[in-house]
Structures are given as structure tokens and as C-alpha cells.
Amino acid sequence: MKGIKAMQVIHCLNNISEKGTSLFTDEYTLSDDLSQATGILVRSAALHDTEFPEQLLSIARAGAGVNNIPLDRCAEEGIVVFNTPGANANAVKELVLCGLFLGSRGIIGGAEWCRENADNDNITKDAEKAKKQFGGHEILGKKLGVIGLGAIGAMVANAAVDLGMDVYGYDPYVSVGAAWRIDSAVHHVTELNDLLKECDYITIHVPAVEGTIGMINKEACDIMKNGVVFLNFSRETLVDEAAMAEALESGKVATYITDFATPAVMKMTNTIALPHLGASTEEAEENCAIMAVNQTMDYLENGSIVNSVNYPNTPLSPCAGNGTRVAILHENIPNTISKFAGFFGDVDINIDNLINGARGNNAYTVIDLAVPAPENTVEALSAVSGVRLVRIL
């Protein structure tokens, strides 16, 4: 059974900004040895084939996407996985706006023409004739559709409003907090097809999960306005590449702008492809690292879970100095909590506070006591069916 170590060992699988790692206190040490780790910090490294050490307690992804982490297996092994939603949102928003301008004007073609004619002594004069082929459109007054109104989508929508665009947003799962962040000028669309058929520009900002993978398919492309500009800075799998290639060939989609340069994309016509630059700013990497480190320390020290993607979010206050906190990761099985409470009742210990939450089959129970826990607490609670991890904090 895993337990908390006197010295927490953190293993970084990618380069993590020092602005984050410098926040670790003297109770933590960074190590290149995965086998000793109680916590992992990761950006893009693939972990699906990684064998995790028995004492590993957490994995923090310095970024939003977690498709490089085996979430279900981690949950079963008692490993809480975190991400850092919103930490890189401004960086992605700025690149989306850049893509919006690149898609509306012949900027790339014009720049390439200038470079190709660098040795032309008459380039200034010839440019006046050549520039006709690089003409474009202004985005002022045009309709922008934003699919997904989370941290990034909301920022893109608000910025587009400030640029004078007529913005339509679609997100059936938008949270109350996100709704408050969205400019009142953004039109809320309840049917995706209405957005697809009305907008001159469309940008997608949803996670790649069951129900969204391949959602921009042939049917979706057929509904779009002729000459639409489509931007994908979220995940390549959201767009059916065969359908997009066909739409570009027919002119249904005028330009496809994506941050994912796949082999299929590079064969498409009228495409602007970037090498996944969305979060590639110094500021975004710092923000993600800071959030990942803070979440890791809060969980290891206090059992607090914030921004987990495989266990229920359970924000907690710091552990009381004279009390004991018992943190239990377990399957979501009926009558489990009563068994936990029954153990303490049998030894005449009152429970000061009990918090429980579940995320699908993965549950988390935190019990605060005013006195030290019995020596056999870990052993006794670990014997309860479905328990994956017991920690005494």
C-alpha cells in the first residue's frame, strides 16, 4: 500500500519551467529516477506504456490535454491525474487571432512572394502588380462561430467581439463560471448546425473525447457556408481529414488553418498548418508549471484535489496541526462510506468532518479527526472492498 514519504520525490518527464519547480519546498526533491517518484510532472511525453512505481501518488500535466496519460489505469492504481486548464488559454487565444488574420488576408502568400523575389531590383514596382493576387477580406462585421466556450473559446469570443465581429457561440455544457466570463454580445446558439450554416469563420475549442472526435465530418462541412474559413487549434482528431480535404477541393471551405501538421493535412490544398504552437510561449509554459506544481503539493500535503481529470475535484483546507486527515481513493461502491465510518466508531473515535465525491466509478473520501488515527487505520481501511489507496496526512 502506498504511503506518504518524508521526502517527496518529483520526476519531470519533460522540461518544466523553473518558475514552477522553484516553488517546491525543502520537503521535495527533483529526481531523474522514475522508480523513486511520488509525483510526476509531464507535458507531452507518452505514458500509456509506462509502468508506474508502487509509491506514485500523482501525475500533473502542465497543459490541458491528457490524451498522453492512461487515465483509467492511473485511477485503478490510486494515482490522481491533474491538468492545468486555462493556464495556456491566452497563448492559444492569441494564436487563434493570428490564424483569423492569416485566413482573411493573403499574408503568407504575399510574404512568400517577397522572399522569392528578394533578388529582384524592381521588387518595389513589381509588387504593386503582384499584390492583386494576395487580396483578402476584413473581419470587421463578419460572423465568427466559436464551438466550445471553455477557457480558450470564451477568450477568443470576447476578443473577436472587441475586433468588431458578430460572434456566435455553441456549447451545450458551458459552466456557470464560463458563462459569466462570456461577453453579453456573444450570441448563444443551441444548435450546432445553425452556427455552421451562418458563420463566415468557425473556430473549434472542445476536448477530444467520445462525441467530439470527428465531429467536423462531411455532413458538418456540407452545412457550412461556401467559402468559410475553418480554424482548429484544439485537437487534430476533431476534424475528419478526408471530409476536410474534400471540402477544400470543392471550395466549400476556402481555408483550413490548423495547429496540427499531420501527413493528411500537408496534402490538402488551401491549408495553413502550424507545428502545434498554441501553448508555445514562455508565459504559458510558466503558468502551466506553476499551476501543476501547486496542485501537486496541495494534494501530497493536504489531500486536496483541484483540476483532476480522473477523480472528483475535492478542494480542501490545509490539514489542522493537531488533527489527522485520512484520504481514501476507492471504487464508487454502495455502503463503502459506512464501512469507513464504522471502523472509527468501533474504536470510539468521532469524525470531525467527512467529505465524499465520485467521478464515475472513481471515488474519494476524506475524513478529518481531532485525534491521531489508530495504528491499524491504513491496514483496516485498505481491506475494505474497492479501496485503492489510504493515506494518513
Side-chain angles (χ1 to χ4, degrees), residues 149-150 154 157-158 174 177-186:
L149 295 169
N158 292 345
V174 64
W180 279 107
R181 294 193 297 267
I182 299 170
D183 194 298
S184 60
V186 176

Side-chain angles (χ1 to χ4, degrees), residues 86-259:
N88 58 16
N90 186 70
V92 179
K93 176 208 75 176
E94 290 185 0
L95 194 62
V96 171
L97 295 179
C98 175
L100 193 62
F101 291 122
L102 292 177
S104 63
R105 307 285 291 271
I107 298 170
I108 290 182
E112 290 176 345
W113 182 91
C114 289
R115 182 55 55 194
E116 291 167 358
N117 289 270
D119 298 328
N120 180 1
D121 292 337
N122 294 316
I123 186 172
T124 302
K125 182 178 180 181
D126 291 346
E128 290 301 315
K129 300 177 182 178
K131 68 180 184 181
K132 295 178 182 179
Q133 61 187 301
F134 308 120
H137 301 278
E138 298 179 18
I139 64 172
L140 181 67
K142 302 299 190 302
K143 293 182 179 180
L144 171 68
V146 182
I147 303 172
L149 295 169
I152 297 171
M155 293 180 74
V156 170
N158 292 345
V161 168
D162 291 339
L163 289 170
M165 300 192 79
D166 191 15
V167 182
Y168 294 76
Y170 169 79
D171 191 333
Y173 308 108
V174 64
S175 66
V176 174
W180 279 107
R181 294 193 297 267
I182 299 170
D183 194 298
S184 60
V186 176
H187 308 288
H188 181 224
V189 179
T190 58
E191 296 293 334
L192 177 59
N193 286 353
D194 291 339
L195 180 152
L196 295 175
K197 68 183 180 182
E198 290 293 333
C199 292
D200 307 294
Y201 300 83
I202 300 173
T203 180
I204 188 167
H205 301 284
V206 299
V209 297
E210 184 178 357
T212 65
I213 293 175
M215 67 182 294
I216 305 303
N217 52 22
K218 185 179 187 307
E219 180 183 358
C221 291
D222 289 344
I223 295 172
M224 295 178 195
K225 291 179 66 173
N226 290 331
V228 66
V229 173
F230 194 92
L231 301 93
N232 177 14
F233 287 80
S234 291
R235 284 291 178 265
E236 68 271 25
T237 54
L238 300 175
V239 175
D240 182 317
E241 293 182 324
M244 181 58 67
E246 181 181 334
L248 287 164
E249 286 289 346
S250 69
K252 167 64 76 168
V253 176
T255 309
Y256 178 45
I257 307 169
T258 178
D259 207 17

Side-chain angles (χ1 to χ4, degrees), residues 351-367:
I351 294 175
D352 277 11
N353 189 39
L354 187 151
I355 298 174
N356 170 264
R359 185 178 189 137
N361 189 47
N362 305 322
Y364 187 45
T365 300
V366 180
I367 298 172

